[in-house]
Amino acid sequence: MQIFEYNGSALVAMVGKNCFAIASDRRLGVQLQTIATDFQRISKIHDRLFLGLSGLATDAQTLYQRLVFRHKLYQLREERDMKPETFANLVSAILYEKRFGPYFCQPVIAGLGDEDKPFICTMDSIGAK
């Protein structure tokens, strides 16, 4: 069993005309044992941007905290929210920094960009889109 499968998870995202959807399961397990059925895998970064993290739950929570911190710094410096494309580049850079001891999670990013253009992106554990 791979470490990515240890807690189990499923994420899916799709785009439509000026819209997007992102969904996940809410089960947290340790191999075949269910620990909780209300685990949150999808998080709201701001009103037009969502992040889903599948994989090892502890790494997903740690990565989420780092990303929220970096987004808040961006808001303070730029006085605006991040575009989904910019956020995807940030996630990729943070994951690539830890490539020799990676976060065992695979992010799915979904959001609306300029003029309500939908954007979805997924990457592996070292930040390759």
Side-chain angles (χ1 to χ4, degrees):
M1 174 175 283
Q2 294 183 351
I3 194 70
F4 293 101
E5 300 168 359
Y6 186 73
N7 291 127
S9 61
L11 283 167
V12 64
M14 60 186 175
V15 297
K17 183 179 179 184
N18 297 333
C19 64
F20 69 90
I22 184 169
S24 76
D25 67 333
R26 297 187 54 92
R27 178 188 174 273
L28 175 66
V30 175
Q31 296 179 350
L32 298 175
Q33 180 182 8
T34 298
I35 303 299
T37 57
D38 60 351
F39 188 73
Q40 185 174 348
R41 296 191 190 285
I42 299 174
S43 303
K44 181 178 178 180
I45 303 301
H46 60 76
D47 289 337
R48 300 164 60 88
L49 180 62
F50 290 83
L51 169 70
L53 292 168
S54 67
L56 192 62
T58 54
D59 282 357
Q61 290 171 338
T62 303
L63 180 59
Y64 170 71
Q65 290 172 352
R66 286 192 65 194
L67 291 169
V68 167
F69 174 73
R70 295 285 291 268
H71 180 258
K72 287 181 180 177
L73 284 177
Y74 183 91
Q75 282 180 317
L76 286 171
R77 199 174 317 129
E78 301 289 328
E79 297 179 355
R80 62 188 168 103
D81 287 326
M82 262 191 213
K83 295 178 184 175
E85 296 85 356
T86 307
F87 187 75
N89 290 334
L90 171 68
V91 173
S92 180
I94 287 176
L95 290 173
Y96 191 71
E97 282 176 4
K98 301 275 288 176
R99 66 189 174 276
F100 298 116
Y103 290 114
F104 294 109
C105 57
Q106 298 166 330
V108 175
I109 299 160
L112 289 175
D114 294 336
E115 301 171 4
D116 291 334
K117 182 181 176 194
F119 174 84
I120 60 172
C121 177
T122 186
M123 51 195 77
D124 63 8
S125 63
I126 60 168
K129 295 180 184 176

